[in-house]
Structures are given as C-alpha cells and as structure tokens.
Amino acid sequence: MRELHLVGRRQPLAAMFLAACALTAAALDGALIAKAGLPAASLLLVGCLAALFILWRPAAFVLGIIFVNAFINAFSRSAAVSVGSVALNPSELLGLLIIALGALALLGRPLPTAALRPILAPLVVGNVLLAASSVAAGRLGTDNIATWVRNLGFLVLLLLAAASFTEERQVRRAVALFSWASLIPIGAGLYQAVSGTGSSEFVRGDISRVFGTWNHPNPYSFYLLMVFALALVTLLDAQAWRDRLLAGVWCALVLACLFLTYTRITWLGLVPAVLVISALRRNLWIPLGMALLAVLVLLLVPTAQKRLAEVETVRWQAPGLGGNSIEWRLAAWRRSAKALEGGLLLGHGANAASELLGFDAHNDYLAALIDGGVLGLATQLWLQAALIAGSLRAWGRLRTPVYRRIALALLAVQVAFALMSLTDNLVGYFQLYAYHWVFVGMVCALPSIERRVEAAA
C-alpha cells in the first residue's frame, strides 16, 4: 500500500537528476550568453526548460504524444531533418524523442510490475532474439537499426505510460484527448473524400482512397479501427441523451472514413472487434446492426462492390510474381519458404523478410518467422496471447466504468489486429503502435489507480 502513495511523487534519484540538469542548463546558458548573445541563449534555455518540464511531468509528455501523433505524419513528406546520410521524418524524430526523454523520465519512478511482467517478458525476449539474429546475420544497416530503435520506443512508451498515469483524472484526460484529437484525421479524411484529393494508388478506376493525416490509406484505416472500438464502447455506456448523440455522431464519422479508405482487411477486421465487444457486453443488437449496415452499403454503393470485386480482377505485380490479390499472396507465401533456409531457428535478422523476398510479406507472422526464426515467431505469439489475456483480465477485474471501456476497446482491437496480421503488414507502423502501447501501459496502471482511489475513499 505504501508503494501506491509514492506513485507520482518525486523520488530522490529523479530530484537529484533534474537538479543536475537544471544546473547544467544554467551553465550552458551562461556560456552561450557570453559568446552568442541573448537570442541564441534564450532558445537553449527554453528548450532545456521544456525538457525539464517533460521529465518532471511525464504524464503531460504522454498526453502530448497522444495529441501530436494524430497529425504528425501529415508532414512526413515535406518536413525531414537530415542527420548525416539519414533523413528523419517527424514521426521518426518523435520516436527518438520518446526514447531519450521517456527513458530519463522513468528514473526513480515505480512501475506496476505485477501487471507489466506478463507483457514485458515476451517483449524483451523477442527484442533480444531479434537483435541477436541480426548481429549473427550481419544485418547492421540503417534500416535494421531503425527497427531496433522503433521497438525500443515501444518499450519506453509502455513503461512511461504505466508509470505516468497515477490518477484517475490523468486517465480521463488521455481518453478525452485521444477522442477529440481523432477529429483531426477524421476531418482530413472527409475533406479528401469531398474534394477528391484522396489517393488512387494501387486502385484502378474511379475509387479514391482517403488517407487522412497518415501517409497511406491502410495505416489510416488501422488507426480508425482503434478509434471505432473506443467510440462504440463509449456509445454503449452513454446515459445522457447528449452523450449518446455525441458518441453516435463520432461512431458514424469514424465508420464513414473507415469505409472511404477502401481497405478491405480493415472492413473484415471490424467483424472480430464488434463480436468481442458484443459478446462481453451481451448485446446482440451490435453485430446485427453492423451486418445490416454492411448489406445496405454493398447494395447501394457501387464503389464498395467494385472494391470487393478487385480481389479477383485487379492484377498485382512483384518480382517474379503476379495474379490477383489472393493469388499474389499465396504465391508470395510459397516463395518465402526459400527465405527460411539456413535460419529456421533464429531467422535472418531485422527486416530480412522484405530484403530477401523483395517485397513486404503481407503476413506479420511469416515476417516474424523469417526475421526471428521459430523462436521469434513463438515470442510474437506469446506477446499477443499475453496482451489479449491481460486486457481480458483487466476488463473482468476493474470496476470503474471508464477503465472497463478502455480495457474492452483494447481487447477488441488486439483480437482484430491479430487476425488482420495474417494477410497484411501492421507491426511496422510506429504511429499506429505508439497509440497501442500507450493504451497497454495505461491498462496496466489502472488496477493500481483504482485501488488507490478506493483506499482514499
């Protein structure tokens, strides 16, 4: 119980570290004033003060990530920073910032180890195995290192969210910010649909796929699936008519944009997500309503029929491969058997699947098998099982309504993503999984927060 009262307070190690940072910033600022004058010194001082504030209030840092992540990829094509021979887009720079400041912000802060342990074990083991296989295979290039950095960023985000959310108001703010921030990519998607400025990439004819503030319709649709799960459980829990109206409009907007992405795998991903929510909420009207809506869309919207027909009619090309969407995938998966040679146990290292095949595997499990071997695939399945079991356990044990909504939405998304990964690439999107790991860390922190609130009452 004593540990719960210490959560969120300044620890001696963290206080000493921040004091040292403040003194260092003051010294550097003084030296810069003497050499460069006040304007340049003021920029350094403001930057140092911002960093110190983030280290002092990591929950504010996480809230900032939730907000900025909603639109940061909109600048990925026009705003890049060159570091030597490597060009970093804003999303990648955010990942480096998360690792640098997030790791420092964790100093001296207690973690809900009981809730984190089942998830940390496969996550750490998987990253260690991937690093070992990469070193053994000599895959130490920029792309390989970027994969390690991305995975490290996910780990820091998980721990930072678990350590930072210590009060109920912080959780409510995070959920509200995620909800309201989603209106930015939703608004961008609707504008692209109305103005005809969506992407026609990979789609023939008159179908224009919206991509919102993301860089491709597919990850945009994956993100919208996360938003829809939270919007749906919010609608089901709404009591006042105003809350029901707002949640209903939110669901409708998300579904409209999700349809306009024309991402078939996400359309299918709605099925397991909705079934999980309806089964645990014991509400048969949800899947029935969604089924009726799907039938109406297929009957009344010609582009929906055309997009589904493209599974058989549109021909895809890759090095040495061809065929429609299904034939191409089956041929690619058969061809990948050669990529497994000589690396069945530990694999060939990070990004080996795309490098050896010459294209993305369109199956995250197959990619994990090529990259990390049997051991790598086993740890990925172990991690997914731990995440699903942890979310289900949290939903069953938590008593606060908003906490149960978060756990249920996360569970539905994880089940959907696990199935969607059979035919698509989801794991590589930092912007998408940044949200995912923040919410996983938050769910790990919820039992401690709930016990603390009950003890105070």
Side-chain angles (χ1 to χ4, degrees), residues 77-345:
R77 299 176 182 178
S78 57
V81 177
S82 297
V83 181
S85 60
V86 180
L88 299 174
N89 64 39
S91 184
E92 292 167 338
L93 288 172
L94 178 62
L96 294 175
L97 186 67
I98 288 170
I99 294 172
L101 293 181
L104 292 175
L106 286 169
L107 288 175
R109 296 185 181 275
L111 293 166
T113 53
L116 281 170
R117 192 178 297 113
I119 298 170
L120 280 178
L123 186 60
V124 172
V125 169
N127 286 333
V128 170
L129 286 173
L130 185 62
S133 63
S134 299
V135 172
R139 295 188 182 277
L140 304 175
T142 302
D143 291 340
N144 310 117
I145 295 174
T147 299
W148 302 347
V149 171
R150 181 197 69 204
N151 292 345
L152 179 58
F154 293 153
L155 177 60
V156 171
L157 265 181
L158 168 66
L159 297 177
L160 188 61
S164 301
F165 291 107
T166 59
E167 301 175 11
E168 183 172 324
R169 62 185 177 85
Q170 294 172 332
V171 175
R172 293 185 179 276
R173 284 176 183 173
V175 174
L177 189 60
F178 177 78
S179 305
W180 286 107
S182 70
L183 296 179
I184 300 174
I186 289 173
L190 294 176
Y191 171 79
Q192 290 162 3
V194 172
S195 62
T197 55
S199 171
S200 59
E201 186 180 11
F202 304 126
V203 182
R204 301 179 182 182
D206 57 353
I207 297 179
S208 177
R209 302 176 63 188
V210 304
F211 52 90
T213 55
W214 295 61
N215 54 16
H216 192 279
N218 285 8
Y220 178 47
S221 71
F222 304 155
Y223 161 76
L224 290 173
L225 180 57
M226 297 180 68
V227 178
F228 176 73
L230 184 60
L232 180 58
V233 295
T234 301
L235 175 61
L236 295 175
D237 280 350
Q239 300 295 327
W241 69 269
R242 184 176 68 91
D243 294 338
R244 292 177 181 173
L245 177 62
L246 288 174
V249 171
W250 188 24
C251 282
L253 292 176
V254 175
L255 281 177
C257 286
L258 202 154
F259 168 74
L260 292 170
T261 65
Y262 289 96
T263 306
R264 293 168 300 211
I265 187 61
T266 312
W267 292 354
L268 293 176
L270 280 172
V271 177
V274 168
L275 289 178
V276 167
I277 293 173
S278 63
L280 294 182
R281 291 297 302 261
R282 298 181 181 178
N283 189 329
L284 292 177
W285 292 107
I286 305 172
L288 290 177
M290 292 294 295
L292 177 60
L293 179 62
V295 170
L296 290 176
V297 168
L298 288 175
L299 291 177
L300 301 178
V301 183
T303 53
Q305 303 168 14
K306 182 177 180 179
R307 180 61 174 149
L308 290 179
E310 286 176 349
V311 172
E312 295 184 356
T313 58
V314 173
R315 317 300 290 182
W316 297 86
Q317 295 295 328
L321 296 174
N324 61 38
S325 184
I326 297 176
E327 294 167 347
W328 181 89
R329 280 174 168 81
L330 292 176
W333 296 341
R334 286 192 296 268
R335 177 173 170 178
S336 64
K338 185 175 293 186
L340 294 172
E341 295 176 359
L344 187 59
L345 183 62

Side-chain angles (χ1 to χ4, degrees), residues 393-407:
R393 184 167 53 250
W395 178 83
R397 294 179 179 178
L398 292 170
R399 294 171 294 280
T400 308
V402 65
Y403 297 173
R404 288 171 60 84
R405 286 202 297 270
I406 297 170

Side-chain angles (χ1 to χ4, degrees), residues 346-366:
L346 284 175
H348 298 285
N351 299 324
S354 57
E355 292 177 14
L356 293 176
L357 297 175
F359 46 83
D360 291 331
H362 285 74
N363 185 318
D364 283 332
Y365 303 106
L366 179 60

